[in-house]
Amino acid sequence: PSAPTDLDYLAVESTYGNRDRPHFSPAQRREILRRELTDGLAAGGPVLIPAFAIERTQELLYDIGALMDANALPPTPVFLDSPLAIRATRVFQAHAAELEEKDFERLVVRNPHFRFVETAEDSIGLARIAGNAVILAASGMCEAGRIRHHLKWNLWRESAHVVFVGFQAEGTPGRAIIDGAKRITLLGEDIAVRAQI
């Protein structure tokens, strides 16, 4: 591609443009994730992960699969509850040979502990899960998507954990939660925040 020249101004998206971010190797990132998931599952779960559907979700699935494969995390049901993320994961699968992670298909797509939840009916059925499970759902900032239902069903539980894996913009439910809100409104209901964040 050719780049523009002789510019006076350039406006770009810069979510992280005004901050230094520490660099983590994949092994360091997985260790942090392992600790969070281990703590959440030990508390009785479930562990909810609001995740961006494209790339972040696939990276998380790969890391969780790698942790299970290395016996660093016990075999645990992992539910991907996002139709868009499932479609994106299938694109990753179709191009698995081009990925750095050459074992993506084995660790993610053929992982017997991973379940892709596509229908609204099956998503609602996850409300019955009160324990040992990880639920990844969009949207990453909790503004829309199926994660809002999972938060409504679990945010009030002291045994539940919510693991944020991305930036939370001002004014979003995700930001309110990480800033320590004791109550938030989700889907028209006032919900107490008692889960571990």
Side-chain angles (χ1 to χ4, degrees):
S2 59
T5 58
D6 299 324
L7 298 174
D8 293 320
Y9 300 96
L10 178 65
V12 296
E13 187 281 331
S14 58
T15 300
Y16 298 106
N18 66 344
R19 70 192 75 196
D20 290 327
R21 297 177 66 208
H23 174 74
F24 294 104
S25 70
Q28 290 170 316
R29 185 184 67 225
R30 281 188 203 114
E31 176 54 23
I32 293 167
L33 181 61
R34 184 198 66 75
R35 285 195 311 259
E36 293 297 333
L37 294 178
T38 300
D39 290 350
L41 294 169
V47 178
L48 307 178
I49 304 177
F52 300 99
I54 299 173
E55 193 170 6
R56 184 63 50 88
T57 290
Q58 291 74 34
E59 185 177 67
L60 283 162
L61 289 171
Y62 182 82
D63 285 349
I64 294 169
L67 288 167
M68 286 184 191
D69 191 57
N71 295 316
L73 195 65
T76 303
V78 176
F79 297 93
L80 176 56
D81 189 14
S82 167
L84 177 59
I86 292 167
R87 286 194 301 273
T89 302
R90 290 189 176 129
V91 171
F92 275 66
Q93 177 186 7
H95 297 276
E98 301 164 45
L99 298 175
E100 276 183 42
E101 299 82 8
K102 296 301 179 195
D103 48 357
F104 181 85
E105 187 160 348
R106 179 179 68 83
L107 293 179
V108 175
V109 179
R110 289 184 293 155
N111 190 317
H113 305 292
F114 290 4
R115 294 169 179 84
F116 291 0
V117 179
E118 298 197 52
T119 69
E121 181 181 348
D122 289 341
S123 179
I124 291 167
L126 295 179
R128 293 188 298 270
I129 295 175
N132 188 33
V134 175
I135 300 172
L136 281 91
S139 75
M141 294 188 206
C142 309
E143 290 185 291
R146 293 179 177 179
I147 192 61
R148 294 172 63 83
H149 295 278
H150 297 297
L151 290 170
K152 177 182 168 184
W153 298 326
N154 292 287
L155 205 51
W156 56 271
R157 297 175 191 265
E158 292 179 8
S159 62
H161 276 59
V162 182
V163 178
F164 286 97
V165 294
F167 179 77
Q168 303 298 308
E170 292 285 342
T172 63
R175 182 61 173 265
I177 293 169
I178 65 169
D179 282 348
K182 300 296 181 203
R183 306 188 79 75
I184 66 167
T185 301
L186 286 171
L187 304 168
E189 289 189 34
D190 184 51
I191 307 294
V193 179
R194 295 191 187 106
Q196 299 298 307
I197 309 301

